[in-house]
Each structure stands twice: as structure tokens, then as C-alpha cells.
Amino acid sequence: MKKFISGYLAFCTNHGQARCHSKMACKNDSSQVKACLNHPDVIGESRAGSSRETTDGSSPKRRHSQSSGNEATGSRQKPGAEARSGDTWGEGKLKSEPECHMQLDKLFANRQHTVLIDSPNAVESRWAGIERALKKLMHRGASVGDVEGAIKMYNPAHSMDWSFEALYTYVEKISKLENNFSNLISKMAKLALKLPELIQHPIPLLRQNCSHAITMSQEQISCLLANAFFCTFPHRNTRHAGSEYGNFPTINFSSLFAVRSPGTLEKLRALFHYFNTVTEEATKPIGLVTFERICIPPSQWPEWNKRMENMTNLHVCSKGFIEKEGKGMLQVDFASKFVGGGVLGRGLVQEEIRFIQCPELIVARLFTEKLADNECLKITGAQMYSNTAGYSDNFEWHSPHTDSTERDEWKRHYCQIVAIDALKFDDPRQQFTEKNIKRELLKAYVGFRKDPNIPTDYTPAVATGNWGCGAFKGDPMLKALIQMMAAAVAQRDLAYFTFENKKQAEDLQRMHALLKGHKMTVGKLYNLLQDYCKHYSHHHHKAKNVFDYISEKMGVRASQL
């Protein structure tokens, strides 16, 4: 239990971590994190030592009655007379303990005082309160109201503003054949309470500018996600500027419970299917998953105008999906800077859908700081639990998915997902600048770059598509060229999915064949893109699209493509 408390506090309370981080630079080891983060959080905490008022409101009591100054020598002295004993002279008695001792308040820990012993007078710790609340939910028959009451009990600051409308709607509308809510909540509460047993080491934060990996079991992930469902992570309920976790995604499910919409209902169907799977002994997953933050320092950034690589192979598919037809490849997550994007809110585009299909990805939000321009997050071994259909407003949970993907020597599924965030353009014209093209090239390269210790023959292709081309308003032709260039420098082939856009697939295939046929290098193509940016800035209302411009610069008319 004591090991658990240090680990729990490390990723739950995390007080003072930001102050310590600059001193510790990139040291992500558990001992550093433990030393920096081990501050208790208590329910009903008060200010020990800050008040001399007793619990009954009376004045403080002295441990011993104080003697009068006139009684110090045992006899009366005249005013002004001096008491004399040996070589000491003085008037009256100097106060000293224990005679002048004030009765102390009860000993317990708070944010200003760490107590390293177990005290019978200690205020109930946050975890003890959580245990008490979740044990009540383990009894069969728990309702949504019981879940709401339990969560609000140990999150009192949000008792008035958290809504559970989506959860009530779910129970009302989903048939009992699919949803045995009370039984599942009981199993989930039991899983959440295994935290002391399953998590006995502090979980390091994957901070910006530090490459670091975390490998954990699927059972550990399920336990952490059960705790996220029950909103047990303190200090993770806000991301306002200047807050302790302002640079991290949210992890508690409270934001999802408040969104009453058809999309939320479908998300909950998928998530409850996941929890039903991981709480059954026969279907409980037994493998591992690795989360790796990769940061490339400026000294290793490519000089794009000097790169001599030719385009690698490209397979364009108008049908199919990255997660299915791209099986076994490095699969691109069209990510938000805050990994998972709106998965615990209203979001339902490519990234959020992938996180709903594979809920183990959601746990990355617990420890992954916002991605910088030269960083990505790679997840190896995540399991797919649900089949879904549709996109955005048309999204729906379809059916359970049985993931038969083989596992590697570490018992991880052969599934690699890389989260890379594209720039969002309020004005689409902004993307046609050298600065923004270089940024997108770097981000794609960070995601695609292979492990330098692994030969090219053992490096899978990249499965991608229209990265950043939906709500972020990226140009699909430009983004395709950028990803081809990054893949060439990373020495990886590409599988490109256009999601039912047959014309785009044909145009992209012809452009790639043209570049390959002319042995176009990355450096030459980069220079052509810079020329196109100048052309676009002067003629953006009548500018050619980037494919037509490049083909004409290569001596090929658009009609010949």
C-alpha cells in the first residue's frame, strides 16, 4: 500500500512538478518524479499549525500551569532586586517549555506539512474516500444517481457544475440486452480499486523536449481508465491558462458525461463494451502497450532544399481504412496537439474515432504533455475493441471487434500508431508559405522517421491520408506532397487512403508517377514548392493548384497528366 500511495500521488496530485522539472531537465526516472511529486491530497483538509483555536472553539490549553514570576526563587523579592545564582544575574523567570507549552492540534498531513508516519488522527486521504465511495458501487443495483453521488463525493468542488445527462440518457435508451449497467458498474468499481495492487511505481510524465517511453500492461491501462471513468484523478479537471495541468489533455470522463448528443451515446456504447470486455476473466487482455514520446533536436532537422532522396513507393487507395487495410504498417493518427483531441467531448473525426475503437489510447492523455512542433507520440500494441461506422454527425458504434493481430516478443500487438498534429489554418492561404511548409515537413518527418537502430528492410510502410485536411483546412494536394517528401527522407513507403475520393486517388497516383519518372529529389521538389508559394501569393484568386503548377514546371501540361 505504501508503494501505491507514492505512485498514486505521483500521477494524481503532482504538486510542485512544474517547479522541479526545470532543475531536473529531462530526467524522467521514477525516483526523480517520486521526490518531486510526493505531496499528499486529503479530503476535508484543514490548516494544521495555522490556528491556536481548539476543536471546541475555546482558547488553547497549556500542557502545564505557568508559575508566577514572583515564585521563581521560592521567596518574595523587593521590586528592582536581582535574583542571583552563581554567575547568573537576572530579574524574574525566563519562560521555557514544557511549563509554557501550548497544547498542539492533532497531528495530520496537509499541503504545507508532510507526515511520514501513519497517524490515527490523520484526516481521511483522498484515496481512502474514493475506496469508500467505490466499494458502495460494487454492490449490485447501483444506478446512475449512485455513480453521480460517488463521483461528486470526492470531487466536492464540482458538485454543482458537473452534469451526468449523457449517462442518464445512455441508460434510458440502450437496451438491457446490450447494457447491464448496474452489473458492469460493479465490475468497473472493483477494477478501479485494484489501483494499489496494479500501479506500484510512479508514472512519469512525457514532457516536452524529452524523448521517453512508458510500457504498461493492458490490465494496468484498464484500471487507469476505470479510474478515469470514475473521475478519481485530482487536479485534472481544468486546463485554463496557468493551471497545474494547463499543458495536458483532460483525462477524467466528467466532460463526456455532460455532452448530451447522439454522438456521445455512441461513444458510451463503445466504451462500455470495452469495460465489459476487460472485466470478464475470459476476455481480459494480457499483453503490453508502449507509449513513446519522440523529440528530434534542431541539430537533426533535415535541410530540405539539400536532400537528394527520390520518392519512395506509393500505393493509393480510394477505398479502405488506415486501421484495417493499413494493418501492420505505421498508422497515422491525425492528431490534436493534445492527444485524443475531443474524444472525451464532442469530437468525432479521425483521431477521436480511432481512440473510441481502441480505448487504450485514451490513457495517453494522463501523462502526455501537449506536442511541440518537433515531437510525436508513438503507441505500439494497442488493441481494437469496436467496429464503428460513419463520421462526425453520422458516427455510430457498430459491433464488437475481435482483434486477432499477432503479438511481438513483448506481447504487444503488431500495431503501431503515430500521433502527429497538423497546423490549423483559419485562412487556408496561410499554408502556402515557406515557414508553414517547413513546419509540416518537420512534423511529418518526426512521425515517419525510423528507429536508427533498425535496418530499412525491417521498417514497415506508413499508412496515412488527408492529414489535417478537414476542420484544419489543409490542402489535400499539398499535404500529400509533404508526406511523400517526409517519407522519402525517412526511407519509408506510403499507403495513402483518400476515403472514397476516387478522383483525388487518380490525381495523386499520376503526380507520384510523374515525380518518380523524372527522378525528382526531395530538395528539388522543396524548391518548386517555394516557387509555388510566391506564385500563390501573387495570384491566389486565379492560382493554379499545386499539382498543375509542378507538372508544368517539369514540362508536362496538366492535360497530359
Side-chain angles (χ1 to χ4, degrees):
M1 174 61 84
K2 291 181 179 178
K3 287 184 180 179
F4 157 70
I5 290 297
S6 65
Y8 177 75
L9 294 174
F11 64 81
C12 288
T13 58
N14 218 356
H15 292 297
Q17 209 271 356
R19 293 190 296 273
C20 295
H21 178 69
S22 60
K23 296 180 181 179
M24 289 193 274
C26 293
K27 294 182 179 178
N28 263 327
D29 57 279
S30 296
S31 61
Q32 290 285 357
V33 175
K34 181 178 177 180
C36 196
L37 306 186
N38 197 14
H39 295 266
D41 188 33
V42 295
I43 296 173
E45 115 182 0
S46 61
R47 298 189 299 267
S50 63
S51 172
R52 286 298 182 183
E53 187 173 309
T54 58
T55 55
D56 62 1
S58 61
S59 299
K61 298 178 182 177
R62 291 175 180 163
R63 184 177 176 186
H64 301 280
S65 60
Q66 183 177 347
S67 301
S68 165
N70 287 333
E71 297 173 351
T73 61
S75 62
R76 289 189 172 274
Q77 296 178 338
K78 294 179 181 180
E82 296 179 344
R84 183 171 183 177
S85 175
D87 294 328
T88 301
W89 291 264
E91 183 176 343
K93 181 181 179 181
L94 300 178
K95 297 181 179 68
S96 62
E97 291 195 312
E99 286 78 12
C100 67
H101 180 73
M102 292 286 191
Q103 181 174 314
L104 296 176
D105 293 336
K106 292 180 179 180
L107 175 64
F108 61 86
N110 62 23
R111 296 187 185 188
Q112 290 79 40
H113 185 183
T114 298
V115 178
L116 298 181
I117 62 169
D118 292 328
S119 170
N121 299 321
V123 176
E124 183 182 53
S125 71
R126 180 181 174 86
W127 180 251
I130 290 169
E131 276 189 313
R132 184 160 46 83
L134 295 188
K135 282 180 179 178
K136 292 181 180 179
L137 297 180
M138 287 174 59
H139 300 295
R140 303 297 170 88
S143 65
V144 177
D146 295 326
V147 173
E148 179 182 2
I151 291 174
K152 287 183 175 180
M153 190 280 291
Y154 47 80
N155 290 290
H158 301 279
S159 60
M160 299 301 293
D161 59 333
W162 277 3
S163 168
F164 289 76
E165 287 302 309
L167 208 53
Y168 281 103
T169 302
Y170 170 82
V171 173
E172 289 169 6
K173 293 191 174 182
I174 301 301
S175 70
K176 290 188 177 180
L177 290 176
E178 178 184 324
N179 161 46
N180 189 344
F181 182 80
S182 297
N183 181 49
L184 183 53
I185 286 296
S186 173
K187 294 190 294 182
M188 290 170 61
K190 182 178 180 181
L191 175 60
L193 289 172
K194 292 179 71 176
L195 203 62
E197 172 189 341
L198 295 175
I199 308 293
Q200 297 194 9
H201 301 283
I203 299 177
L205 299 177
L206 297 183
R207 287 283 194 181
Q208 288 183 352
N209 301 313
C210 295
S211 294
H212 192 74
I214 300 172
T215 296
M216 59 181 70
S217 72
Q218 291 179 279
E219 185 179 13
Q220 287 175 317
I221 293 171
S222 67
C223 178
L224 291 170
L225 290 179
N227 276 275
F229 178 91
F230 291 116
C231 306
T232 70
F233 299 108
H235 315 297
R236 297 301 296 270
N237 298 318
T238 181
R239 267 181 41 204
H240 63 76
S243 64
E244 185 177 5
Y245 282 92
N247 229 24
F248 286 78
T250 56
I251 182 62
N252 289 327
F253 279 33
S254 54
S255 55
L256 182 64
F257 298 152
V259 181
R260 188 174 183 175
S261 69
T264 303
L265 191 66
E266 299 302 313
K267 285 183 180 181
L268 288 172
R269 292 177 72 187
L271 291 169
F272 278 122
H273 167 65
Y274 163 76
F275 283 120
N276 193 54
T277 302
V278 299
T279 55
E280 287 291 335
E281 198 62 35
T283 54
K284 182 173 69 175
I286 57 172
L288 304 182
V289 182
T290 298
F291 301 83
E292 182 180 11
R293 189 186 195 104
I294 299 172
C295 174
I296 297 182
S299 61
Q300 297 178 25
W301 296 0
E303 293 185 62
W304 297 101
N305 62 333
K306 297 180 181 179
R307 302 302 304 200
M308 300 302 296
E309 293 88 354
N310 297 118
M311 299 299 109
T312 52
N313 296 322
L314 174 71
H315 290 252
V316 186
C317 309
S318 62
K319 296 185 181 294
F321 299 94
I322 290 172
E323 65 272 14
K324 293 181 180 178
E325 282 70 24
K327 189 174 181 179
M329 302 179 192
L330 177 65
Q331 301 173 354
V332 177
D333 163 24
F334 303 167
S336 163
K337 288 179 183 291
F338 295 94
V339 294
V343 65
L344 298 182
R346 295 184 180 274
L348 264 173
V349 289
Q350 195 257 12
E351 178 175 38
E352 290 89 358
I353 291 173
R354 190 65 193 273
F355 275 54
I356 289 297
Q357 293 172 337
C358 309
E360 288 163 347
L361 301 176
I362 297 174
V363 80
R365 295 169 63 87
L366 177 64
F367 44 74
T368 307
E369 190 174 15
K370 180 176 73 172
L371 296 175
D373 289 347
N374 60 331
E375 297 177 321
C376 69
L377 180 70
K378 184 184 291 184
I379 305 103
T380 304
Q383 182 168 326
M384 187 171 178
Y385 292 84
S386 290
N387 298 313
T388 65
Y391 191 82
S392 190
D393 293 340
N394 298 318
F395 171 82
E396 63 178 20
W397 182 80
H398 185 270
S399 58
H401 178 84
T402 301
D403 195 334
S404 57
T405 308
E406 295 181 22
R407 297 179 185 268
D408 63 18
E409 293 82 356
W410 292 6
K411 295 185 179 180
R412 303 177 303 182
H413 284 293
Y414 282 112
C415 174
Q416 283 193 333
I417 299 168
V418 62
I420 53 174
D421 54 294
L423 289 173
K424 183 176 182 180
F425 300 106
D426 295 325
D427 181 350
R429 293 175 294 180
Q430 297 170 339
Q431 63 194 297
F432 296 106
T433 66
E434 181 176 10
K435 176 184 176 183
N436 287 334
I437 287 175
K438 285 182 73 173
R439 189 274 179 191
E440 300 293 69
L441 281 167
L442 175 61
K443 176 62 70 166
Y445 174 68
V446 170
F448 297 174
R449 191 177 76 156
K450 68 183 185 67
D451 186 329
N453 298 315
I454 297 177
T456 302
D457 289 345
Y458 292 85
T459 302
V462 176
T464 188
N466 295 329
W467 169 55
C469 297
F472 283 16
K473 300 182 181 179
D475 181 272
M477 297 180 187
L478 178 62
K479 278 298 199 298
L481 291 172
I482 285 172
Q483 292 184 87
M484 282 194 285
M485 294 163 70
V489 177
Q491 298 179 290
R492 287 186 189 261
D493 295 332
L494 277 180
Y496 200 102
F497 297 86
T498 62
F499 308 108
E500 304 296 331
N501 190 329
K502 189 174 180 180
K503 184 180 183 307
Q504 183 196 3
E506 293 171 351
D507 290 345
L508 181 53
Q509 192 67 60
R510 283 196 292 266
M511 174 52 67
H512 179 263
L514 181 64
L515 296 173
K516 286 277 282 186
H518 284 71
K519 297 183 179 180
M520 177 66 69
T521 66
V522 170
K524 289 179 181 179
L525 183 54
Y526 177 82
N527 290 330
L528 283 175
L529 287 178
Q530 302 319 306
D531 292 342
Y532 178 75
C533 290
K534 295 173 186 176
H535 164 78
Y536 188 88
S537 66
H538 289 98
H539 308 93
H540 63 265
H541 291 298
K542 298 181 180 179
K544 301 178 179 70
N545 69 55
V546 67
F547 279 9
D548 289 347
Y549 181 87
I550 289 174
S551 62
E552 290 184 15
K553 285 293 183 179
M554 295 170 63
V556 180
R557 293 183 180 180
S559 59
Q560 296 176 281
L561 282 174

